[in-house]
Amino acid sequence: MNEHRKIPKHLLEKFRRRLYSTEHRVGDNNVKILGLDLHRPVFFTTAIAVVGFVLFALLLPQTANLWLNGAKDWVVNGFDWLFVSTANIMVIFCLILIVSPYGSIRIGGIYAKPDFNRRSWLSMLFAAGMGIGLMFWSVAEPLAYASGWAGTPLNIQADTPEAYRAAMGATMYHWGLHPWAIYAVVGLSLALFAYNFRFPLTMRSVFYPLFKEKTWGLPGHIIDILAVLATIFGLATSLGLGAQQAASGLNYLFGWNFAGNSLEIVIIISVTILATFSVARGLDGGVKLLSNINMMVALLLLLFVFFVGNSFGLLGKIAQTTVDYATYILPLSNPVGRSDNEFFHGWTVFYWAWWISWSPFVGMFIARISKGRTVREFITSVMLAPTLVTIVWMTVFGQSGLSQYKNQVGELAGGVSNASLTLFQMLENLPLGAITSLVAVVLVMVFFITSSDSGSLVIDTITAGGKLEASIMQRIFWAVAQGLIAIALLYGGGAEALKTIQSGSVSTGLPFTSILIVMCVSLWLGLRRIYKAREQMLSELEKY
């Protein structure tokens, strides 16, 4: 349609009346306490659950570890087929939306304009979605698969030419289209119902076509509480793991080896302070600025490794990684009859459960920044742009690590000894290794500052009943709370406590898997409603 054609106000009003409508308003179930504007059922239930969960992990660490690891193993081993099938469905569903007539629908309405330029938009969604993970695993994961450190894809013999190709193909499978399709479905659903139907920006709003007014009752409370818990514990775990990698890098570079987890705690305190300043400045002054800095520093580090290494060889490897990804994506997507159980359960199914449990956080954040994009532009950008960047990133860093392993260079000659150190061990064997390693430490810290403040904005929105502009104190409260949870876990239980909470986060992926499938149905119904109303309006417009 010609979106620049003037549409009479009465036709626009008729168009809006044809969409879903509700008597519920943002903040209907809210209560104001100490300057905080809180959704009563969601906030207080979540607060009690978080405090209870953390105390359980700290006071009864062995029991918590046993129960939650048992739950994670039960989820990963018993529902492997469901996780892989759901991820496949998300990819197919997104591809269908791209080519469908619904692709022309604009998030926010016919005249909506993007709040951010494309560069800032892509930087923010990429930094929030996978920044820390790419820093942590870009060298370690391909090397782990090629050397057989913890299983090989499809039981391919380790340390063979085929193993090296499968290593890159499997790495891209875990970081490419599938996770971003999951994020795209959640993000598009949230954005559509918030900006087109003018519902609260919370997970529950997505299910209005199915639940109708019950959406604002108990079923919606449960959905939002699960989303907040998954986000809080996922972010707390990432803060802890990111701090461990940064501490490992500082220890590796400068020999900083403080007693216990003191260095990690100092890092988390520093990150929390910076994240608090950032989140207080909001999306424009905080998250957007940090995301743009992230991408610039990451680009400089990428170009450095590319040019000081075998740049012509790496250029060819980028094309080879793309081919490897295309070659192995279908065999690795098979959900049944797998014989590579160590790799399948330990890597793929774990990743899918983790991405799904993170989808409320990343999807909500993407929705916050995506008003004004068409459905086709949204899905294409969210799925393809990060995948293309990841192909380049994983090739440059992963192939550099594999090259050192194959040629028996430095500490990587022995394979993966400590996953948090592999990036620094690879950089040490390049020129200016100490400087680039320090840049990598800074980049890790800035990436998880971005994750922390964007996560605070998401949690704040859900626990405020969908309000987009809650008080600054409310955003600060959540930024500080995340840091305190991570510090408490590290101080009280160390790495084992973080792994326990991570197991709990992964376990939440099971109920969200079912929610994702239902979400696709609800999203399709919402898109159909908008499309039919728009076509009726255009038909009536022809009379003028």
Side-chain angles (χ1 to χ4, degrees):
M1 67 174 285
N2 184 358
E3 296 184 353
H4 301 288
R5 183 177 179 181
K6 188 66 176 178
I7 299 174
K9 289 184 178 180
H10 74 280
L11 281 184
L12 280 174
E13 185 58 33
K14 187 183 289 187
F15 167 72
R16 294 191 183 104
R17 288 199 300 268
R18 288 166 177 160
L19 302 179
Y20 295 118
S21 61
T22 177
E23 295 298 319
H24 179 80
R25 293 293 177 264
V26 177
D28 276 357
N29 291 317
N30 284 21
V31 60
K32 293 186 177 181
I33 300 176
L34 300 176
L36 305 181
D37 193 352
L38 308 171
H39 189 281
R40 283 175 293 181
V42 174
F43 175 81
F44 291 106
T45 305
T46 302
I48 293 171
V50 168
V51 172
F53 206 73
V54 172
L55 289 176
F56 179 47
L58 294 179
L59 298 178
L60 299 170
Q62 293 182 340
T63 303
N65 187 57
L66 180 65
W67 286 9
L68 291 175
N69 277 324
K72 183 199 75 173
D73 292 340
W74 177 72
V75 166
V76 169
N77 296 328
F79 296 91
D80 49 5
W81 60 273
L82 180 61
F83 285 114
V84 177
S85 298
T86 300
N88 293 340
I89 290 170
M90 297 301 108
V91 174
I92 295 170
F93 182 66
C94 285
L95 294 177
I96 291 173
L97 287 179
I98 289 174
V99 300
S100 75
Y102 301 156
S104 61
I105 293 173
R106 187 170 295 278
I107 298 170
I110 294 169
Y111 294 125
K113 300 295 182 183
D115 294 327
F116 305 97
N117 62 47
R118 188 180 298 275
R119 187 189 68 181
S120 294
W121 178 53
L122 293 174
S123 295
M124 283 190 286
L125 71 89
F126 188 80
M130 291 186 175
I132 297 176
L134 289 179
M135 291 296 296
F136 195 95
W137 290 110
S138 57
V139 178
E141 190 166 340
L143 184 55
Y145 299 154
S147 64
W149 179 61
T152 58
L154 306 173
N155 279 339
I156 293 170
Q157 180 65 40
D159 293 316
T160 63
E162 186 179 3
Y164 294 119
R165 291 193 298 271
M168 294 307 303
T171 300
M172 277 310 308
Y173 173 63
H174 291 150
W175 295 86
L177 294 175
H178 283 76
W180 286 104
I182 294 169
Y183 294 160
V185 168
V186 178
L188 177 61
S189 300
L190 289 164
L192 187 81
F193 282 89
Y195 299 130
N196 292 70
F197 294 109
R198 301 182 179 181
F199 288 171
L201 183 58
T202 60
M203 289 292 293
R204 71 175 73 203
S205 296
V206 175
F207 300 92
Y208 188 85
L210 301 173
F211 295 158
K212 296 299 188 264
E213 291 303 310
K214 292 181 180 178
T215 301
W216 318 118
L218 182 60
H221 298 338
I222 293 172
I223 291 170
D224 280 350
I225 288 168
L226 281 172
V228 174
L229 290 175
T231 302
I232 288 175
F233 290 126
L235 284 170
T237 305
S238 290
L239 278 172
L241 295 177
Q244 286 180 338
Q245 186 182 26
S248 295
L250 291 172
N251 182 31
Y252 191 75
L253 286 170
F254 305 114
W256 293 359
N257 188 15
F258 296 0
N261 297 304
S262 301
L263 183 55
E264 287 92 334
I265 291 173
V266 169
I267 291 171
I268 291 178
I269 292 172
S270 303
V271 167
T272 301
I273 292 172
L274 293 172
T276 300
F277 280 114
S278 176
V279 78
R281 291 172 60 86
L283 278 174
D284 269 309
V287 179
K288 186 180 81 170
L289 177 63
L290 278 178
S291 297
N292 286 332
I293 293 173
N294 269 347
M295 298 313 294
M296 288 301 299
V297 177
L299 178 61
L300 290 175
L301 182 61
L302 176 74
L303 291 174
F304 176 82
V305 176
F306 178 81
F307 284 112
V308 301
N310 182 3
S311 55
F312 289 108
L314 287 175
L315 199 60
K317 295 286 187 181
I318 292 172
Q320 184 61 53
T321 297
T322 307
V323 172
D324 293 337
Y325 182 27
T327 300
Y328 287 99
I329 188 170
L330 289 180
L332 292 172
S333 298
N334 176 26
V336 295
R338 298 284 290 266
S339 59
D340 53 344
N341 284 331
E342 185 179 7
F343 167 83
F344 186 49
H345 291 147
W347 291 95
T348 298
V349 181
F350 178 85
Y351 266 133
W352 282 185
W354 183 250
W355 298 143
I356 290 171
S357 69
W358 261 59
S359 62
F361 155 50
V362 182
M364 175 77 74
F365 181 72
I366 294 174
R368 282 285 305 263
I369 63 176
S370 297
K371 187 177 180 180
R373 310 287 173 181
T374 66
V375 169
R376 186 170 293 115
E377 178 188 14
F378 178 93
I379 296 178
T380 302
S381 298
V382 171
M383 281 184 66
L384 296 184
T387 298
L388 293 174
V389 172
T390 304
I391 286 175
V392 176
W393 184 275
M394 287 298 192
T395 300
V396 171
F397 286 87
Q399 289 289 0
S400 296
L402 286 174
S403 175
Q404 292 181 17
Y405 172 68
K406 287 187 289 185
N407 295 312
Q408 297 291 287
V409 175
E411 294 185 56
L412 290 187
V416 179
S417 56
N418 182 340
S420 64
L421 283 178
T422 52
L423 173 63
F424 305 110
Q425 291 169 338
M426 184 274 290
L427 291 173
E428 183 186 36
N429 296 308
L430 300 178
L432 304 177
I435 295 175
T436 54
S437 293
L438 183 59
V439 170
V441 171
V442 173
L443 191 56
V444 168
M445 294 182 68
V446 177
F447 263 127
F448 73 85
I449 291 171
T450 309
S451 294
S452 176
D453 57 16
S454 55
S456 299
L457 289 170
V458 168
I459 298 169
D460 177 35
T461 301
I462 300 177
T463 56
K467 286 192 173 183
L468 296 180
E469 296 301 332
S471 68
I472 292 177
M473 284 303 301
Q474 201 154 317
R475 298 198 297 268
I476 291 174
F477 170 81
W478 285 114
V480 173
Q482 289 177 61
L484 290 176
I485 292 170
I487 290 169
L489 291 170
L490 271 174
Y491 181 77
E496 287 304 315
L498 288 174
K499 290 179 181 178
T500 299
I501 299 299
Q502 186 182 43
S503 296
S505 299
V506 170
S507 299
T508 62
L510 181 58
F512 263 108
T513 301
S514 302
I515 289 174
L516 272 178
I517 296 171
V518 177
M519 186 180 290
C520 290
V521 177
S522 192
L523 173 59
W524 187 266
L525 293 174
L527 288 168
R528 186 175 67 179
R529 187 95 169 197
I530 295 173
Y531 186 79
K532 285 185 176 180
R534 191 185 69 176
E535 292 304 301
Q536 290 172 354
M537 183 184 67
L538 291 176
S539 177
E540 294 177 30
L541 184 61
E542 294 301 322
K543 300 174 184 178
Y544 290 86

